[in-house]
Amino acid sequence: MSSSSTSGLIRKPKVFKVDLDGNVYCHHDIVAVLRVAGLKSERHGEEFYGCSHWPRGDCKFFLWKEDVDKMFVERSYGTSTQVTFKDLKIKNLKLHNMLLIEENKNLKAMRFDTKTKSKKPYVLTFVIAIAILLYLWN
């Protein structure tokens, strides 16, 4: 039994990379170009990502923009909201800021510890020097 519908086909998952600026990368690890389907396509006028080397190169990277956008829908409590790349970038920057603040606290604590530790030998040396001077003086 053969069927010409795509529902009977097992589709291989597409692997690609998207950065926080919304850039989609092809298999060459370069930013894919956003193009519009031409007149001969059933999906005329719809946007898709393709390799910037096409048609000169042999990369067949192709991904509908709609499919990429669907991946960034946040689902919770039966509702769906669109998460933009800007939202993701803001969350990432806030997290990075929190990590930098924590690292700054740790570095200040380490600096304070080294200051107090480094004073102890000088105090001890100072006390010994006074003891020697008093001994020599007498």
Side-chain angles (χ1 to χ4, degrees), residues 29-48:
D29 206 26
I30 57 175
V31 177
V33 178
L34 186 61
R35 297 188 167 112
V36 178
L39 292 171
K40 294 180 182 178
S41 172
E42 291 178 17
R43 295 178 73 168
H44 167 69
E46 291 189 47
E47 294 177 310
F48 67 92

Side-chain angles (χ1 to χ4, degrees), residues 52-101:
S52 63
H53 290 192
W54 184 86
R56 296 177 311 277
D58 63 346
C59 183
K60 307 243 185 305
F61 180 80
F62 176 89
L63 195 62
W64 290 109
K65 183 178 182 306
E66 173 186 337
D67 293 339
V68 174
D69 293 342
K70 283 180 187 176
M71 293 178 59
F72 293 96
V73 173
E74 206 171 67
R75 293 176 179 85
S76 61
Y77 304 109
T79 62
S80 296
T81 56
Q82 188 74 26
V83 178
T84 65
F85 292 108
K86 183 179 177 183
D87 296 335
L88 292 173
K89 192 168 190 173
I90 289 170
K91 285 181 183 180
N92 187 45
L93 289 172
K94 285 180 180 178
L95 177 62
H96 188 66
N97 187 43
M98 286 175 24
L99 292 172
L100 288 174
I101 289 170

